[in-house]
């Protein structure tokens, strides 16, 4: 009864293959399905069967997601070490427990907490970054209170689920809260275009709220 998006296997024993889907991930999935459906409708309206330039009509359906322009705030988690072997193991350990962090953040009942797809995460040498998009426009307090809640939850997650697994002193983890524009420019090296900001303004925080960029290293 608690499952959000039940998809049951057709054989015994019957199991829900999407038991990990939460309200936040459900919104993301449904949003992409709606976007794909609207693209298909546009293709049909444009007469895809009779159009010689068919490839251009299909291109919007396969455009890369502009994840870093969707949300007003982002949680960035950086994991690093001093060599590739240790980094591969450390990155895998952290990645395997991101789902638990997602569940913690969803307990605050924000509008959406979206774990970024791996294609948008950044890897450089012995360093890897994970991102969460956070939409807390429904939160009655200021964004500073949101920051404190998120950072406290991440700190607790690190101490309970990662500290005892860290068997190498070079394994480091850094977490920080970023504004949407800062996260976009940090990850892509480009500033968010004015038109793009206008198109995504419904994701922006309320006027007058500010969010300090804060980071913690453990």
């Amino acid at each position: 009864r608690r499952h959000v998006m039940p998809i049951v296997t057709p054989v015994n024993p019957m199991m829900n293959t999407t038991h990990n889907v939460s309200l936040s991930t459900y919104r993301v999935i449904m949003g992409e399905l709606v976007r794909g459906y609207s693209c298909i409708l546009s293709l049909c309206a444009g007469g895809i069967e009779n159009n010689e330039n068919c490839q251009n009509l299909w291109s919007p359906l396969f455009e890369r997601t502009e994840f870093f322009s969707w949300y007003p705030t982002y949680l960035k988690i950086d994991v690093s070490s001093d060599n590739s072997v240790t980094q591969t193991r450390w990155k895998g350990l952290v990645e395997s427990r991101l789902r638990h962090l997602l569940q913690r953040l969803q307990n605050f009942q924000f509008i959406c907490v979206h774990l970024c797809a791996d294609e948008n995460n950044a890897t450089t040498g012995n360093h890897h970054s994970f991102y969460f998009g956070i939409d807390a426009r429904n939160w009655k307090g200021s964004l500073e209170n949101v920051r404190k809640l998120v950072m406290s939850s991440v700190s607790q997650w690190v101490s309970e689920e990662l500290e005892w697994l860290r068997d190498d002193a070079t394994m480091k983890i850094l977490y920080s809260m970023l504004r949407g524009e800062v996260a976009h420019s940090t990850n892509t090296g480009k500033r968010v275009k004015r038109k793009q900001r206008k198109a995504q303004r419904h994701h922006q925080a309320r006027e007058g709220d500010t969010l300090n960029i804060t980071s913690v290293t453990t």
Side-chain angles (χ1 to χ4, degrees), residues 9-205:
T9 56
V11 295
N12 288 320
M14 291 186 293
M15 300 176 65
N16 181 16
T17 59
T18 56
H19 67 280
N20 286 329
V21 174
S22 63
L23 287 174
S24 292
T25 51
Y26 174 79
R27 291 191 183 100
V28 174
I29 293 171
M30 294 305 296
E32 287 299 295
L33 290 176
V34 170
R35 186 180 72 86
Y37 179 65
S38 64
C39 288
I40 296 299
L41 289 181
S42 298
L43 286 168
C44 295
I48 183 173
E49 296 179 355
N50 301 322
N51 198 309
E52 296 180 356
N53 198 14
C54 178
Q55 186 173 357
N56 292 334
L57 292 175
W58 280 102
S59 59
L61 186 63
F62 300 99
E63 287 180 352
R64 178 168 176 164
T65 301
E66 290 292 340
F67 176 78
F68 293 100
S69 64
W70 282 1
Y71 302 101
T73 55
Y74 291 83
L75 169 65
K76 180 183 180 184
I77 298 177
D78 298 306
V79 294
S80 61
S81 62
D82 64 346
N83 63 77
S84 59
V85 176
T86 304
Q87 175 64 14
T88 299
R89 186 160 56 92
W90 181 226
K91 172 182 173 291
L93 287 172
V94 174
E95 188 173 18
S96 67
R97 282 158 177 78
L98 289 177
R99 180 170 60 88
H100 298 162
L101 175 58
L102 179 65
Q103 292 172 347
R104 289 173 183 261
L105 296 177
Q106 288 173 341
N107 289 335
F108 297 128
Q109 297 183 345
F110 297 141
I111 292 178
C112 188
V113 181
H114 183 182
L115 176 58
C116 179
D118 194 60
E119 65 176 7
N120 287 317
N121 294 325
T123 300
T124 306
N126 298 326
H127 174 275
H128 188 84
S129 299
F130 298 100
Y131 291 89
F132 287 83
I134 299 176
D135 188 348
R137 289 174 298 143
N138 62 325
W139 197 257
K140 295 181 179 179
S142 67
L143 287 179
E144 181 63 20
N145 290 334
V146 172
R147 182 195 68 80
K148 291 179 180 179
L149 282 173
V150 172
M151 298 298 282
S152 175
S153 183
V154 176
S155 178
Q156 186 178 13
W157 170 73
V158 170
S159 62
E160 292 180 1
E161 301 203 24
L162 295 176
E163 283 292 347
W164 65 280
L165 293 172
R166 188 160 49 179
D167 56 2
D168 192 315
T170 65
M171 292 178 173
K172 298 180 180 180
I173 183 167
L174 170 73
Y175 41 97
S176 57
M177 290 284 288
L178 304 175
R179 298 185 187 92
E181 292 184 7
V182 176
H184 187 279
S185 61
T186 299
N187 189 268
T188 64
K190 301 177 180 178
R191 295 184 62 84
V192 181
K193 296 180 180 179
R194 187 174 181 179
K195 290 183 179 180
Q196 189 178 30
R197 289 199 302 268
K198 185 176 180 180
Q200 300 296 338
R201 62 186 176 185
H202 60 283
H203 288 297
Q204 301 303 312

